[in-house]
Amino acid sequence: MRGTLLVLLALLVAPFAHAIAPTRMPTPELQARYERLIHNFRCMQCQDESLANSPVSLAADMRRQIRQMLLAGDTDQQIRHFFVSRYGYFILFKPPFAWRTAWLWLTPGVLLGVGALSAVWVIRRRAALVTRESGDEDESFDDGLTGPGKHS
Amino acid sequence: MIPELGQFALILALLLAALQALFGIVGPALGRERWTAAVTPAVAGQFVMVATSMGCLIASFVANDFSVAYVAENSNSALPLFYRVAALWGAHAGSLILWIFLLSCWTVAAAVGTARLPRNFAARVLGVLGTISFGFILYTLLTSNPFLRLSPPWADGQGLNPILQDPGLAAHPPVLYTGYVGLAVAYAFAGAALLEGRLDREWARWTRPWATSAWAFLTCGIALGSWWAYYTLGWGGFWFWDPVENASFMPWLMGTALIHSLAVTEKRGLFKSWTLLLAVLGFSLSLVGTFLVRSGVLISVHSFAVSPGRGEFILTFLVIMIGAALALYAWRAPQMQSEAGFEFSARESFLLFNNILLVTACGTVFAGEMAPIISNALGLGKLSVGPPYFNPTFLVSMLPLLVLVPLGMHARWKRGGLGGRGRALLVALGAAAVIGCAVAFGVFTGAGILSPVSMTLGAWIIIASLLDPIDRLRRRIAIPRAVLGMTIAHIGLGIFVFSMTAVQAFTAERDVALTIGSSVRDGGYTFHFQGIGPIQGPDYGGTDATMVVTHEGKPVAVMHPAKRDYWVQHIATTHSAITIHGGSNILVALGQSLGDGRWSFRLQVRPLVLYIWIGALIMAGGGLLAITDRRYRLSQSAAKEAAALLAGGDAR
Amino acid sequence: MIRYFVPLGVFAAVVVLLALAIHQAPRKDLVPSPLIGKPAPSFALPSLADPNVKVTSAALRGHWYLLNVWGTWCISCRIESPELLAIAHTGVVPLIGLDWKDSRAEALAYLHQKGNPYQQVAFDPGGLEAIQWGVYGAPETFIVNPQGIIVYKYIGPITPRAWAHDILPRLPAGQASGS
C-alpha cells in the first residue's frame, strides 16, 4: 500500500522532476548519436518535451530502448523507423519530407520565390518612374537619415 | 461585495466600450459632431470602469478572498503578497482582465496623443479600439468571468503553480501584453485610414511612435519570457519554437516590418498598402495568438485550459475584426497607390526586401505553427513540428536579411548608391570577418561554416551601424535622436546575432553522476561536488547541493542547485544554479539520488548567453529613443501657428 | 487588383481550418496508431503469477484476443476494472493483460482484491515490451485477430458504451450477433 502511494506520488511529482540521466556509451561517436537521437524524439506523454528532457518513466524506457539499439549496431535510420512505425510521425520533432508534409517544407522556398519575383517586378516599375530632373525628395524634410551625400 | 462591484464595473465598461465604438466609427461617417466629440469621454469612462474592475480583483487576491473561484484556484494564504498579486495573471480569466486593462491604458494614451490631430481621424482610431475592447470584455463576461463566487467558499486556496512563483512571472505577462495590445493602436490607425479612404505621409508620422513603442515592449516581453524559461525550466534553453512562443514571435516579426515600412511611407509616401497590411496583420497575429493559446487546439506546456466554447467565440471575433479589416484593405488600398519612383540600389529597395524577408519568415513560422492543426483537421495524421523544422527554415530568410542590414542602412533614398560609404563598408566587412573567424575558430572548438559566417554578420552589423554617427561626429553635425535610436537598435541586433550564434554552436552540456567529493570537467570548467542537504521555505521543503566551480585552478563560484517540493500543490520543481563568468553562463541542475551516495547533475556551459537578452533590450531601447525625436512631438509648430492665427483674428 | 484580396483569401482558409480544429479539439491528444492492420509484435514474457511460465504470442495464434495494458499505479485502470470483469464474464473474447511498469507483488494483490478478468497476464516491469506495441499511456487495449494482426486500438478506460460501439462490433461475436 505504501509502495503504491509512493509510486503514485512519484507520478504526481514526476511532471516537474528532472530528466537528468547520465548515460555512458562506450564510444564518443555512439555518445554523440545517442544525445542527438534523444533530443530529436518527442516524449509521448509530456508531448512538448523531447526524450532528453522528459521526466516520465516512458521517456526513460524509450531512452533505454535507443541505447540498446545503438549498442546492437542499428543505424539512426533504423532506430527512427522503429519508433515511427509504432508511434507515427508525431514522435519526430522534424516532420518528414513525405507527400503529406511536402507543403510544409516547401513553404519557405515558395514564399521566398514569390517574394523575390514580386520585388523585382516592383523595383523595375519604380526605377522607371524615377525622373532625372527632379532632385531628392523634399529637401526641407530632414530626418537626418540621408547620409553623407546630402547636406543637412 | 468587492467582487460584485468588480463585475458590475466590467459590465459598465462593456457599455462604455460599445458607445466608444459606436460614436467613434459612426459619428465621423455620418458627420455628427456631437457623437464624434463624445468618444473621448467614453474612453475616459471605460478606463475608470476597467481600472475599478481590475482593482477589485487585485483586492480580492490581496485579501485572500477564497469565496471567489478564481482566487481560490490560483492563490493561497501561504503565498507571499507579491505573488498573490501576480497570481492575477496566472491563469486564463485574470490574464484577460490584464489584457483589457492594458488596452484601456493604451486607448487613453491614444486619446491624449491624438488630441491635436483632425477630430474625425482621432475619433475613428478610438472607435476601432472601442470595438476591440468591446469584444474582449464581452468574451470575458460570457465565458471567463473571474468574479464568480464559490459556494461554499474554500477555507484556503489551491495555490499558485510553483513554476510561476518567480519574479520573471510577475514581469513577463504584463510587459508582453503591453506589446501585444499596443499593436492594436497601429491597427486602429490603419483602420482609421482605411475608413477615411485616405493615407498620406502625415499619417505615417503620426503612426510611427505607436508602432515603435508597441514593438519595443513586445521585444522586451519576448526577451523576458525567454530569459525566464532559461532561468526557470532548468534546461537552459532560451527558445524552443514552442507554439505559444511562436504566437508572440509572429506579431514581433510583423511589427519589425511595420516600423521599417512606416519609415518609407513617411519619407517618400511609398509602401502605403504594405504599411496598412502590416499594421493590420501585426495585431491580427496578436489576436490569432490569443486564440491559439486559449482554444485548446495547441499542444504546449504554456497552453491555458481547454474549452471549445471559448475557442468558438474568439474565432468569431477574429473573423469580424480581421475579416473586416482585410476586406476594407482589399477595397480601399488600391486607391492609395503613389507614383513615386526609386532606383534598384535605393534604400526603398532594401526596405522592400526587408518587408518581404520578414513576411516570409513570419509565414514560415505560421506554417509550422499551423501544420499540426491542419494535418489533424484534414485527417492527414498527427504531425509534430519542432526546432528541427523551424531552425533551418527560419535561417533561410533571416541570413539574407542580415546581409542586407549593413548595406541598407547606408543606401540613399530614391537615387540609391551607398553615398560614398562603399569602401568603409568593405573595410568593416573585413574587420568583422577577422573577428568572426577569430572567435569561432580561435576561442571555441567545433565550429562549422555557419557559425563564423553568422558571427561575421553580427559584427559587421555593429561596425556598419557606427559608421554614420562617427562620421557625423567628425564633421560636427548633430545626430538626431531618430538616427541615434536606429543606430542603437541595429547595434543591439548585431549583439543579439553574435551571441546567439555562440550559444547555439558552442554550448557544452553533460549529464553526470557524482559522489560527494568527486569532480568532473565540462566546457573548460571543473565542477567539484562538495555536499548536499535539506532546505525549507514558506510553502516548500527540499534538497540543496553545493557545487564548487573552478577555471584552470582559479575559483569561479560556489553554486547551489536545488529541488523543491511544494506541499500544497504536491509539485516538485528544480531550481538550477546559474553563474555568470566572463560573459558565459554556467548552469548546474540537480537530478536525483542514484543510490550509493551518487547524485545526477546536468552541467551546461553557455558562452555569451547573457548578451542575447542584452542585445534584445538594446534593440528595444533604441526604438524607444528614436520615437522621442522632435518631429514626433505632434504639431507643436502647427499648434503655435494656429494660436497665432487665432490671436491675429481676434485682434482684427 | 486581385492581389489585394489575397490576404483576405488566405485568412478565410485559415479560419476554416481553425474551425475544423476546434471541433476536433477534445480528442486531439489521442495519437492514432500506425500499427493498425500490421502484425502484432511477437512476444514471450514471464507470466505475472509464475515467472517460469511464459505468455507467448505464438500460443495465442488462431484466437481472437484483447491485449489490455494496465498497472496498479494507473487510476483509470481501476475505473475500467469492473467493465473488464464484465467482459470476461461474457466469455466473448479472452483478455490478456500486460502489466506495465509495475511491481509483481502489488499487481498480484490488486488482482486478488479486485478480481482477475485476465485469462493470462504478461509481466513487463521494464516497459520495453510495451514500447513494441506503441503504448504511451494506460489503459490501452488492442484487438488482435487469429492471424496475429492488430485490428484496433482503444485508448482510455473501456466503458460499457465503448465496448458496445467500438470493440464488440469489430469482433466476430459482435458481427455474428447481427447489427
Side-chain angles (χ1 to χ4, degrees):
Chain A
M1 184 53 207
R2 211 166 145 256
T4 320
L5 202 60
L6 277 175
V7 173
L8 268 173
L9 265 178
L11 282 159
L12 289 169
V13 158
F16 297 100
H18 257 314
I20 297 173
T23 304
R24 225 157 263 130
M25 302 294 284
T27 71
E29 192 235 326
L30 279 176
Q31 185 79 32
R33 280 174 67 199
Y34 175 75
E35 301 286 338
R36 204 178 38 240
L37 283 167
I38 62 174
H39 275 94
N40 285 342
F41 285 114
R42 181 185 292 265
C43 169
M44 297 300 295
Q45 272 182 2
C46 298
Q47 292 178 344
D48 211 34
E49 302 268 18
S50 67
L51 287 188
N53 292 334
S54 172
V56 299
S57 65
L58 177 67
D61 294 344
M62 288 185 170
R63 289 195 297 265
R64 246 180 325 127
Q65 175 74 26
I66 293 174
R67 182 165 196 278
Q68 273 186 8
M69 294 181 80
L70 280 171
L71 289 172
D74 288 339
T75 65
D76 287 4
Q77 181 82 308
Q78 285 170 312
I79 296 177
R80 238 173 275 144
H81 177 77
F82 174 88
F83 281 101
V84 169
S85 60
R86 284 160 181 75
Y87 290 93
Y89 285 126
F90 186 69
I91 200 171
L92 296 175
F93 272 122
K94 181 176 187 173
F97 193 83
W99 281 114
R100 281 184 289 150
T101 57
W103 68 272
L104 181 63
W105 286 105
L106 293 175
T107 295
V110 166
L111 285 176
L112 216 51
V114 169
L117 286 174
S118 51
V120 166
W121 182 75
V122 167
I123 293 175
R124 276 241 184 89
R125 204 167 74 85
R126 294 289 167 180
L129 285 170
V130 175
T131 55
R132 300 289 150 209
E133 288 76 73
S134 74
D136 291 315
E137 284 286 296
D138 201 357
E139 310 272 348
S140 60
F141 176 50
D142 174 31
D143 61 356
L145 293 175
T146 50
K150 170 121 174 55
H151 58 270
S152 43
Chain B
M1 189 47 214
I2 291 188
E4 278 68 37
L5 180 62
Q7 179 162 322
F8 186 60
L10 204 57
I11 296 176
L12 286 180
L14 181 71
L15 294 172
L16 286 164
L19 288 175
Q20 181 186 328
L22 183 69
F23 290 150
I25 297 181
V26 180
L30 296 181
R32 292 184 184 230
E33 275 184 37
R34 282 171 61 188
W35 282 24
T36 306
V39 181
T40 330
V43 168
Q46 199 215 128
F47 176 74
V48 169
M49 288 301 128
V50 168
T52 305
S53 188
M54 172 104 162
C56 290
L57 194 56
I58 294 179
S60 301
F61 269 96
V62 170
N64 280 326
D65 183 354
F66 298 119
S67 65
V68 179
Y70 187 70
V71 176
E73 284 160 12
N74 292 291
S75 183
N76 165 281
S77 45
L79 211 55
L81 176 65
F82 181 66
Y83 291 121
R84 266 184 275 154
V85 174
L88 190 141
W89 48 82
H92 171 65
S95 72
L96 281 176
I97 297 285
L98 182 65
W99 227 102
I100 293 168
F101 175 69
L102 288 169
L103 182 59
S104 201
C105 292
W106 275 104
T107 308
V108 168
V112 170
T114 57
R116 293 213 193 86
L117 298 188
R119 294 288 83 225
N120 278 354
F121 179 81
R124 286 186 160 118
V125 169
L126 297 173
V128 171
L129 288 171
T131 52
I132 303 173
S133 292
F134 181 78
F136 270 87
I137 299 178
L138 186 64
Y139 175 67
T140 307
L141 283 171
L142 287 182
T143 69
S144 330
N145 189 341
F147 295 109
L148 295 175
R149 294 272 203 177
L150 276 178
S151 183
W154 292 3
D156 206 335
Q158 224 176 277
L160 185 63
N161 187 331
I163 270 195
L164 305 177
Q165 284 182 40
D166 184 279
L169 162 75
H172 167 57
V175 176
L176 184 72
Y177 284 19
T178 304
Y180 243 12
V181 176
L183 285 176
V185 180
Y187 169 92
F189 270 79
L194 284 170
L195 285 168
E196 281 197 345
R198 199 168 60 90
L199 191 143
D200 54 19
R201 289 167 58 187
E202 279 292 286
W203 173 88
R205 185 166 66 87
W206 298 335
T207 313
R208 261 180 113 171
W210 300 103
T212 310
S213 47
W215 172 87
F217 276 107
L218 198 51
T219 309
C220 290
I222 296 176
L224 257 171
S226 159
W227 176 76
W228 174 43
Y230 176 92
Y231 177 59
T232 309
L233 290 182
W235 309 138
F238 66 92
W239 192 256
F240 303 89
W241 292 111
D242 173 84
V244 174
E245 289 176 330
N246 293 344
S248 65
F249 192 50
M250 289 188 282
W252 185 87
L253 289 168
M254 285 301 188
T256 308
L258 175 64
I259 60 182
H260 288 87
S261 196
L262 276 167
V264 181
T265 307
E266 185 190 354
K267 177 74 176 162
R268 305 228 38 231
L270 282 165
F271 290 13
K272 287 181 187 175
S273 15
W274 260 113
T275 306
L276 279 173
L277 188 61
L278 289 169
V280 169
L281 286 181
F283 182 62
S284 302
L285 284 168
S286 282
L287 287 178
V288 172
T290 302
F291 166 82
L292 287 177
V293 167
R294 293 160 203 280
S295 63
V297 296
L298 282 186
I299 303 160
S300 165
V301 291
H302 291 82
S303 297
F304 291 103
V306 181
S307 161
R310 291 174 176 170
E312 277 162 356
F313 187 106
I314 307 188
L315 191 58
T316 312
F317 186 51
L318 284 185
V319 170
I320 296 173
M321 296 303 302
I322 306 177
L326 288 177
L328 212 51
Y329 167 82
W331 174 36
R332 285 247 151 106
Q335 300 154 14
M336 295 178 183
Q337 286 254 311
S338 93
E339 288 306 304
F342 57 86
E343 295 288 357
F344 170 70
S345 64
R347 190 175 299 202
E348 294 91 321
S349 201
F350 281 94
L351 290 174
L352 178 62
F353 276 105
N354 175 297
N355 276 359
I356 289 173
L357 288 169
L358 282 167
V359 168
T360 301
C362 186
T364 305
V365 175
F366 189 71
E369 180 92 328
M370 291 289 294
I373 300 173
I374 293 176
S375 194
N376 213 21
L378 294 180
L380 295 177
K382 220 160 149 62
L383 202 62
S384 98
V385 183
Y389 170 78
F390 288 109
N391 284 338
T393 53
F394 189 67
L395 276 180
V396 162
S397 30
M398 281 299 103
L399 275 181
L401 185 61
L402 292 176
V403 173
L404 293 180
V405 170
L407 299 170
M409 69 172 78
H410 296 286
R412 284 191 313 158
W413 292 98
K414 185 170 174 180
R415 298 274 169 209
L418 291 169
R421 294 244 175 87
R423 226 175 59 112
L425 281 169
L426 218 52
V427 171
L429 177 59
V434 168
I435 297 174
C437 294
V439 172
F441 296 118
V443 175
F444 300 109
T445 54
I449 299 276
L450 198 53
S451 23
V453 166
S454 187
M455 284 184 155
T456 301
L457 286 174
W460 192 26
I461 292 173
I462 298 174
I463 303 175
S465 303
L466 291 167
L467 289 179
D468 190 42
I470 292 177
D471 187 49
R472 284 170 184 263
L473 285 172
R474 261 187 34 223
R475 300 193 306 154
R476 299 181 196 284
I477 318 172
I479 306 179
R481 286 195 195 172
V483 175
L484 191 58
M486 178 180 88
T487 304
I488 292 176
H490 286 134
I491 290 177
L493 174 66
I495 295 175
F496 176 83
V497 169
F498 194 90
S499 48
M500 200 200 57
T501 311
V503 172
Q504 291 291 82
F506 304 122
T507 291
E509 174 180 306
R510 277 179 74 180
D511 283 359
V512 296
L514 295 173
T515 51
I516 298 183
S518 58
S519 325
V520 72
R521 278 185 62 85
D522 188 45
Y525 294 87
T526 309
F527 296 83
H528 180 78
F529 178 25
Q530 210 171 60
I532 192 155
I535 49 162
Q536 211 169 67
D539 54 345
Y540 62 85
T543 322
D544 180 287
T546 308
M547 189 75 88
V548 177
V549 184
T550 60
H551 180 65
E552 283 158 20
K554 277 169 282 183
V556 170
V558 178
M559 304 178 66
H560 291 274
K563 279 160 60 109
R564 295 183 187 176
D565 284 299
Y566 284 83
W567 312 307
V568 180
Q569 295 211 311
H570 300 293
I571 289 181
T573 62
T574 29
H575 284 254
S576 28
I578 301 183
T579 293
I580 304 165
H581 180 245
S584 293
N585 251 9
I586 306 167
L587 192 149
V588 180
L590 177 62
Q592 55 243 2
S593 170
L594 301 171
D596 304 327
R598 285 157 69 236
W599 286 81
S600 62
F601 290 92
R602 179 165 289 183
L603 309 173
Q604 278 178 354
V605 178
R606 289 184 178 258
L608 299 181
V609 68
L610 226 57
Y611 292 100
I612 293 179
W613 302 303
I614 291 176
L617 290 177
I618 292 177
M619 263 200 280
L624 287 173
L625 180 62
I627 58 180
T628 61
D629 189 283
R630 221 183 36 203
R631 75 171 181 282
Y632 299 121
R633 261 164 253 166
L634 256 334
S635 308
Q636 271 183 352
S637 47
K640 281 193 204 142
E641 272 177 63
L645 268 176
L646 280 171
D650 284 345
R652 233 183 287 125
Chain C
M1 290 311 110
I2 303 184
R3 69 177 194 269
Y4 289 99
F5 281 91
V6 168
L8 188 60
V10 171
F11 176 64
V14 169
V15 167
V16 167
L17 288 165
L18 288 176
L20 275 174
I22 308 182
H23 288 285
Q24 308 243 343
R27 304 275 291 183
K28 73 163 167 53
D29 286 333
L30 301 182
V31 181
S33 171
L35 287 173
I36 310 276
K38 301 267 171 32
S42 54
F43 56 90
L45 292 166
S47 113
L48 184 69
D50 183 356
N52 296 317
V53 175
K54 291 268 182 243
V55 179
T56 66
S57 51
L60 290 164
R61 267 297 177 96
H63 307 280
W64 286 86
Y65 66 94
L66 295 184
L67 185 94
N68 175 264
V69 181
W70 65 283
T72 57
W73 44 268
C74 157
I75 301 173
S76 303
C77 304
R78 287 163 193 264
I79 295 174
E80 119 179 303
S81 170
E83 182 60 22
L84 290 182
L85 286 163
I87 294 173
H89 194 68
T90 67
V92 165
V93 62
L95 284 165
I96 311 293
L98 180 64
D99 187 23
W100 186 37
K101 306 285 295 177
D102 221 343
S103 114
R104 188 186 289 275
E106 307 256 339
L108 286 169
Y110 172 92
L111 291 177
H112 182 75
Q113 185 203 25
K114 294 211 115 196
N116 185 352
Y118 305 109
Q119 192 193 76
Q120 306 170 62
V121 183
F123 188 46
D124 180 22
L128 293 188
E129 187 56 40
I131 291 182
Q132 296 286 345
W133 287 76
V135 169
Y136 66 96
E140 290 182 4
T141 308
F142 297 81
I143 304 180
V144 183
N145 72 12
Q147 290 74 40
I149 308 288
I150 297 178
V151 167
Y152 183 67
K153 175 181 178 183
Y154 185 81
I155 297 173
I158 299 180
T159 59
R161 190 191 149 82
W163 167 250
H165 285 248
D166 297 314
I167 302 181
L168 187 56
R170 291 178 159 92
L171 296 169
Q175 289 153 10
S177 59
S179 37

